[in-house]
Amino acid sequence: MRLPEEAIKLCEAQRGVLARHQLRRWLPQHVIDDLLRNGHLERLEHGVTRIPGSAPLPEQAAFAAALRARPLATVTGPLVLHLFQVPSFIGSEAFEILLRPHRRICGVEFPCRRDPDPGRAVAVHGEVRTTGPLDALIDAAGDASERDLRLALDHLRHRNLVTLDRLRRRVEQLRGLTPGAERLEEVLDRAGGAEIESEGERMLAPILAGFEPRFEPQVWVTPRRRVDFYSRRCRYGYEYLGEVDHAYVAARLEDDARDTELREEGIRLGYVTKHDLREPVALVATMAGTLTVRAHELGVLPPVAVRPLATTASST
């Protein structure tokens, strides 16, 4: 027997998962029982099924748990970051179900707890609710590694899904209520704050910190342009060239446009890649030579590498 078209559409929106109470909108109880007995439906949770042969997506277990824990249960944690295609969490099946304040549930194997903020904004997949990326990041912080959390934060900020100000305010709201809030706050404090925006920049920062005067991070050198690190004395900036951010034609054209605009303002840029960062001693030597030439052009003293190259290399 073929399911009604409306049920199939709902099943697709819920990643191949359907609850019995949903099926009863279109099918009588005995027909649903027959579908289960005949193998046309497969049980995932009590009262929740999937269509056999459909793709076993990572989110099916979480979506089934949310339908089991209804009404208005919400999925959160690493699985939600997977749904947002956050690189360090792609493929993760870990999740937690947030229950409505007066909802009690027992005899289940999935993790669940009372939702400390039942009025939070959510995304809806069919009739399955998931937290937004900001709350999912906080709830993932309890078990994820610090590096994965930093990479996730960088990715979400790059896509304008999260800002540090919003994240810090949300962490403050959930402190003491959500297990990951305090941990993520510690990660934020060690991640360089609002000035450092990517993992590559964090690796580049200690290298440039070996010069005196130091390069300033995230400087608006014109009303429209900001550079990752900037020397005001030499009017010279360094940009970390990430593979994801600058691999596409549109991004390279934007880099060229920025270079041209800044050159007209008397500002020069240098680029650093992850391959450069693998040889920090050679990178510092190259930077020192470039900055000396640039300082000579402007008639100023060049920034000096005040720390020994070996020390600078070990910091990365």
Side-chain angles (χ1 to χ4, degrees), residues 39-291:
H40 296 296
L41 290 175
E42 177 184 344
R43 182 181 182 275
L44 285 180
E45 289 281 350
H46 178 71
V48 185
T49 64
R50 69 186 290 270
I51 299 176
S54 59
L57 302 173
E59 55 265 36
Q60 283 186 343
F63 281 27
L67 290 171
R68 166 73 175 84
R70 69 184 180 103
L72 300 178
T74 304
V75 182
T76 190
L79 184 279
V80 177
L81 297 176
H82 157 79
L83 295 177
F84 280 99
Q85 293 294 290
V86 176
S88 50
F89 289 92
I90 290 177
S92 176
E93 299 181 16
F95 68 91
E96 193 174 21
I97 298 297
L98 301 176
L99 304 172
R100 301 298 287 178
H102 302 296
R103 175 75 163 110
R104 293 184 180 181
I105 189 171
C106 59
V108 297
E109 297 182 359
F110 53 81
C112 58
R113 59 184 168 88
R114 300 284 177 82
D115 192 340
D117 182 14
R120 73 177 74 223
V122 297
V124 180
H125 310 265
E127 296 175 9
V128 175
R129 295 157 46 99
T130 61
T131 59
L134 191 150
D135 285 356
L137 183 64
I138 294 173
D139 288 324
D143 297 318
S145 70
E146 181 169 332
R147 182 178 185 276
D148 283 348
L149 292 173
R150 292 202 312 265
L151 290 173
L153 178 57
D154 294 341
H155 180 80
L156 293 170
R157 291 175 68 191
H158 180 71
R159 292 174 57 191
N160 295 319
L161 294 175
V162 167
T163 67
L164 275 179
D165 287 342
R166 287 177 54 213
L167 184 57
R168 287 190 181 277
R169 288 197 300 268
R170 189 60 172 158
V171 165
E172 179 67 26
Q173 292 171 352
L174 294 176
R175 185 185 295 121
L177 302 174
T178 295
E182 288 83 356
R183 170 115 193 284
L184 188 57
E185 189 171 38
E186 294 174 359
V187 171
L188 289 173
D189 290 341
R190 289 193 294 267
E195 295 178 335
I196 306 299
E197 293 193 335
S198 74
E199 194 71 10
E201 290 175 38
R202 291 190 189 98
M203 297 174 66
L204 179 56
I207 293 177
L208 289 173
F211 287 90
E212 184 61 43
R214 288 193 176 190
F215 281 74
E216 300 175 45
Q218 299 300 324
V219 176
W220 289 93
V221 293
T222 74
R224 294 182 60 250
R225 300 292 182 180
R226 182 178 62 172
V227 298
D228 293 342
F229 298 93
Y230 187 63
S231 166
R232 296 185 187 275
R233 176 185 292 180
C234 289
R235 297 180 63 78
Y236 196 94
Y238 278 103
E239 285 278 314
Y240 176 72
L241 200 65
E243 290 184 347
V244 174
D245 299 343
H246 300 275
Y248 301 102
V249 172
R252 292 199 296 270
L253 290 174
E254 172 62 20
D255 289 340
D256 290 342
R258 176 182 53 198
D259 287 350
T260 300
E261 183 178 327
L262 294 185
R263 186 172 290 274
E264 292 174 352
E265 297 291 331
I267 297 170
R268 301 293 185 270
L269 282 183
Y271 291 95
V272 176
T273 69
K274 70 174 184 179
H275 301 290
D276 298 323
L277 293 172
R278 292 172 182 169
E279 299 290 341
V281 175
L283 178 58
V284 169
T286 300
M287 287 176 165
T290 299
L291 293 170

